[in-house]
């Protein structure tokens, strides 16, 4: 193994290992602060520079939390499967970190590298992305099963059922982009969208993006799909029996998975690193990329602060009866539009296909909503004088 | 050199994973060992530059088959894993005989008679080429397979619907 | 009174053996509202058996009260339903006042109504917050509710010196008059409360997820509700128009114009129970407005000595507490202490139908059904 190769590997992976965990720390602070504001609270505000009274808006909170986590006692239940109990948090983190390597981030130090800029520049990056992110399900099941706790087991079962179900609309909405870009390569998909040709700005892209984002919420167990860790029902779900550093690893894995799936959404729909002023400063592409990721994460935090949780049967019905048919129909629309625009180039065909697609999606969504939605509606009440 | 070391590491992991999967009494441990075997196999595919096959290996075998096995175990009462019942080892002799027979009469002749490519230049099949192959010469096969899977899916739905109907009947009665 | 577990036999048919998961939810669980335990048997996620277990917070309240003078147990009533100490006081005062026959001054009657309705607001607003919290809304509605609750608790503190354990009522009146300016501050709060209610209703009442999570969940039929002795908002949500403020018109409730919201009894589910409480808050505001406008000056307590010996008699005092009919049953034997002292706790009696409402639902439903009953373990266990 040559020195050159080792340098390349380090340049490609170390930034990911540094940037994203630090962003994780910042995100936990951001989430707590944002939730606090939503709830009329102030949120963390005490911990800033140690030994002083400077609060820095509580920016020291993640560091303090981290220190606390590391020094806490690591409790393993007596009945637990010790090996799996240990492996589960690690296995939860590894796929999340791995899929970060598929994101087409163009770091400015790429020009010092001999070969490719990305850690994994694979032709089938999108497939790999879904293949590896599916492994997180196993980690969660492992944790739930190994803890030998009934709440954990329930959480693990819920997680498996939920993540398997929502993976399908997730993949199907990515298929649209793969079809339109004609490639599974993340870099090529990003290149197709340069100059504000973002896929989200097309009707089918918009629909696919919405489906993708909803499914991504479920994949990462975020509210309103946070059933595997539903506090009011099953305590903390699969990580009920975890404490200390193992818990921190789960936490880290969950947030890294959020970054990864938001990163994929940005790559597929939001033009990856595309943005203004790139001609002047090409290094801005990383900034745009991460800013877009944070935009999506801000929406996730917002939803967490506002929405109650779905029930397990409603969750499944939503995936199978609404998202799945909608995404299949969307693929159909996207394919038809593509062929029509290829056959009849010009604005008229474009306008016609866009209108047809938008109307078709709207009608389909309304129809599915009507079929699968519960009959719940506000009621009238009587009054006795 | 690096490639050879990687190959041997992956091969040993694969064989060990397979052995653990077969020998382990604990069902869940067995399933996870099987997944390690699948993962090592995916690594071997990657080593052969067959990245698409590797991805599909992970997606289908670990993501789908493995989870399906876990689902099946979840439905049994052994889900907590504490199972004192012994797996009987009666008839293991014939098992060994069958395995050896497969090795000697099927695999070895197949390997010997196989016509392996002897080129020195790296062979790098692109996913695009694979896709074009699938959509052009093999499109009928693909469609037939898709139809078969759809039929299976509809059959599964029908089977579960039948159960529902029976339930309604029971409710009426 | 028992409901068969729906569809459960089917799972046992045709050799399809699935084992049930037995979970002891509680006494330490985020959504059991205290030290309450539900032993549930789950088939997958469906509840097939549920057994409520309580008594973890038993403090021997009734026996203690039989060994002290009548007035001495007034502070202990605060600790029954610790969210609503004012109404607890009132129910006990009503029972004791029947034994000694004392005239309550006009101003005290008005203040009693004001305190009781403020307590109702505190209880309902917190309940709704906790209920939506059980639905998984991560505390946001709860924090909105607590903001309003704090304002009312401030008023309680100014009047009685304590925020929760007020101990404010006395036989024949109240312990002390409210401080100067208190009525104006209360008027201000009452005037602003409907704006909060508007906001709260806008946020919660038509939320798609709340609607689909709560409607058709935990249905309680009118017959079962009446037979089980359910009272309060839960009974009215099941379609019975029964409010002690109208039926007994205790205190001076007959002087106020207010309406009692109830349902047509078709559903009686968690959404009805939630909505009835939302609507009741508006009526409480209406009562408060009238009471604050009409309150006269005057004495605050009638002539009662601190230790008294009532003639041997029985008395039952009941009020429409925020959670239901709260009653105190006293037997006097001519000494300074009650011979028998008994509490009719609405929390406990409303809890008895928990199993009937939960069977056949999901485990997540069981949590919100418990939340919609509105229990406080201090009152359930006493």
């Amino acid at each position: 193994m040559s020195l050159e190769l080792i340098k390349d590997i380090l340049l490609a992976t170390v930034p990911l290992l540094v940037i994203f965990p630090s962003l994780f720390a910042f995100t936990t602070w951001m989430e707590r602060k944002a939730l606090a504001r939503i709830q009329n609270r102030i949120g963390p505000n005490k911990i800033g520079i140690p030994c002083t009274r400077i609060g820095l808006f509580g920016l020291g909170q993640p560091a303090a939390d981290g220190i606390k986590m590391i020094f806490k006692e690591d409790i393993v239940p007596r009945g637990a499967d010790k090996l799996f109990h240990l492996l589960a948090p690690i296995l939860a983190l590894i796929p999340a970190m791995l899929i970060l390597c598929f994101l087409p981030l163009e770091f400015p130090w790429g020009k010092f590298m001999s070969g490719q800029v990305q850690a994994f520049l694979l032709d089938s990056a999108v497939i790999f992305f879904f293949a590896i992110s599916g492994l997180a399900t196993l980690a969660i099941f492992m944790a739930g099963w190994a803890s030998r706790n009934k709440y954990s087991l329930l959480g693990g079962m819920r997680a498996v059922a939920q993540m398997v179900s929502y993976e399908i609309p997730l993949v199907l909405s990515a298929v649209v982009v793969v079809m339109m870009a004609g490639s599974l390569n993340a870099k090529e998909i990003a290149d197709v969208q340069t100059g504000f040709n973002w896929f989200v700005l097309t009707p089918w892209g918009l629909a696919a993006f919405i489906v993708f984002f909803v499914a991504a919420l479920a994949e990462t167990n975020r509210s309103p799909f946070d059933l595997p860790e539903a506090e009011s029902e099953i305590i903390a779900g699969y990580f009920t029996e975890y404490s200390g550093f193992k818990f921190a690893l789960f936490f880290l894995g969950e947030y890294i998975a959020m970054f990864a799936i938001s990163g994929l959404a940005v790559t597929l729909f939001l033009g990856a690193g595309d943005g203004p002023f790139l001609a002047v400063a090409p290094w801005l592409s990383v900034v745009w990329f991460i800013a877009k990721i944070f935009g999506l994460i801000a929406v996730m935090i917002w939803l967490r602060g506002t929405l109650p949780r779905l029930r397990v049967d409603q969750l499944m019905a939503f995936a199978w009866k609404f998202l799945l048919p909608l995404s299949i129909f969307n693929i159909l629309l996207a394919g038809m539009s593509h062929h029509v625009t290829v056959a009849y180039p010009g604005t008229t065909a474009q306008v016609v296909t866009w209108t047809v697609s938008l109307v078709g999606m709207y009608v389909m969504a309304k129809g599915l909503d009507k079929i699968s939605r519960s009959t719940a509606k506000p009621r009238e009440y009587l009054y006795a004088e | 050199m690096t490639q050879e070391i990687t190959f041997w590491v992956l091969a040993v992991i694969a064989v060990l994973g397979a052995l653990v999967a077969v020998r382990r009494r604990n069902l869940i441990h067995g399933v996870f060992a099987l997944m390690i075997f699948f993962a090592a196999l995916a690594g071997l595919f990657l080593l052969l530059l067959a990245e698409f096959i590797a991805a599909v290996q992970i997606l289908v075998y670990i993501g789908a088959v493995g989870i399906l096995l876990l689902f099946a175990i979840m439905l049994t009462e052994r889900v907590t894993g504490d199972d004192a019942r012994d797996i009987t080892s009666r008839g293991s002799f014939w098992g060994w005989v069958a395995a050896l027979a497969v090795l000697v009469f099927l695999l070895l002749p197949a390997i010997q008679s196989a016509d392996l490519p002897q080129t020195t230049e790296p062979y790098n099949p692109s996913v695009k080429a694979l896709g074009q192959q699938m959509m052009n010469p093999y499109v009928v096969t693909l469609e037939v397979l898709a139809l078969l899977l759809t039929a299976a899916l509809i059959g599964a739905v029908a089977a579960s619907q039948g159960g529902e109907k029976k339930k309604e009947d029971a409710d009426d009665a | 009174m028992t409901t068969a577990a729906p569809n459960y036999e089917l799972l046992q048919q045709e050799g399809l053996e699935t084992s049930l998961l037995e979970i002891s939810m509680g006494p330490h669980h985020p959504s059991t509202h205290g030290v309450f335990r539900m032993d549930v048997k789950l088939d997958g996620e469906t509840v097939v058996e549920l057994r409520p277990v309580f008594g973890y917070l038993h403090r021997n309240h009734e026996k203690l009260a039989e060994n002290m003078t009548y007035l001495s147990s007034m502070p202990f009533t605060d600790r029954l339903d610790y969210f609503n100490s004012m109404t607890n006081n009132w129910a006990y005062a009503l029972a004791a006042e029947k034994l000694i026959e004392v005239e309550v001054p006009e101003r005290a009657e008005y203040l009693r109504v004001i305190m009781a309705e403020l307590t109702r607001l505190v209880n309902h607003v917190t309940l709704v917050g906790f209920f939506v919290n059980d639905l998984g809304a991560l505390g946001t509605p709860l924090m909105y509710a607590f903001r309003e609750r704090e304002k009312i608790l401030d008023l309680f503190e100014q009047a009685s010196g304590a925020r929760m354990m007020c101990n404010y009522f006395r036989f024949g009146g109240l312990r002390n008059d409210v401080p100067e300016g208190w009525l104006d501050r209360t008027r201000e709060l009452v005037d602003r409360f409907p704006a909060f209610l508007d906001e709260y209703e806008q946020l919660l009442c038509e939320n798609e997820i709340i609607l689909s999570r709560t409607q058709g969940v935990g249905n309680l039929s009118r017959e079962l509700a009446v037979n089980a002795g359910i009272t309060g908002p839960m009974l009215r949500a099941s379609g019975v128009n029964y409010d002690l403020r109208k039926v007994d018109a205790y205190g001076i409730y007959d002087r106020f114009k207010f309406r009692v919201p109830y349902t047509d009894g078709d559903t009686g589910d968690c959404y009805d129970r939630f909505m009835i409480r939302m609507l009741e808050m508006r009526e409480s505001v209406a009562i408060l407005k009238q009471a604050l406008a009409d309150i006269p000056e005057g004495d605050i307590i009638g002539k009662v000595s601190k230790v008294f010996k009532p003639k041997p008699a029985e008395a039952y005092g009941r009020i429409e507490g925020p959670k239901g009919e709260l009653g105190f049953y006293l037997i006097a034997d001519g000494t300074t202490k009650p011979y028998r002292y008994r509490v009719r706790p609405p929390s406990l009696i409303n809890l008895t139908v928990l199993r009937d409402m939960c069977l056949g639902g999901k485990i997540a439903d069981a949590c919100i059904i418990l939340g919609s009953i509105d229990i406080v373990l201090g009152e359930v266990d006493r």
Side-chain angles (χ1 to χ4, degrees), chain C residues 140-182:
Chain C
T140 308
L142 187 62
M143 288 297 157
Y144 276 63
F146 267 40
R147 184 185 59 192
E148 298 308 310
R149 175 174 177 256
E150 287 301 306
K151 291 177 191 163
I152 300 177
L153 291 193
D154 284 345
L155 290 176
F156 286 172
E157 188 179 12
Q158 289 159 17
S160 73
R163 295 172 75 78
M164 286 176 78
M165 303 301 143
C166 298
N167 183 22
Y168 186 54
F169 286 46
R170 288 290 176 269
F171 308 130
L174 300 165
R175 196 178 67 211
N176 52 279
D177 203 348
V178 290
E180 209 172 313
W182 190 88

Side-chain angles (χ1 to χ4, degrees), chain B residues 17-78:
Chain B
L19 274 179
V20 172
V22 176
R23 298 299 301 167
R24 195 74 191 181
R25 296 241 162 104
N26 190 314
L27 284 174
I28 304 255
H29 286 183
V31 172
F32 275 98
L34 191 68
M35 287 183 192
I36 290 171
F37 165 73
F38 289 147
L41 220 56
L44 286 175
F45 282 133
L46 265 187
L47 210 59
L48 293 170
L49 291 174
E51 53 170 77
F52 183 77
I53 310 287
V56 171
Q57 172 80 18
I58 298 175
L59 197 66
V60 172
Y61 281 91
I62 302 182
V65 174
I67 301 267
L68 193 72
L69 288 173
L70 285 180
F71 258 117
I73 295 169
M74 279 194 309
L75 293 177
T76 68
E77 53 186 308
R78 296 202 210 174

Side-chain angles (χ1 to χ4, degrees), chain A residues 284-303:
Chain A
L284 268 177
S285 91
V286 179
V287 177
W288 292 138
F289 199 104
I290 289 176
K292 287 172 191 171
I293 290 184
F294 264 95
L296 291 183
I297 284 180
V299 177
M300 290 185 180
I301 293 171
W302 175 28
L303 290 179

Side-chain angles (χ1 to χ4, degrees), chain B residues 4-18 37 40-41 44 47:
Chain B
E4 261 176 43
I5 295 172
T6 325
F7 170 78
W8 282 109
V9 168
L10 285 173
V12 168
I13 291 176
V15 171
L16 282 182
F37 165 73
L41 220 56
L44 286 175
L47 210 59

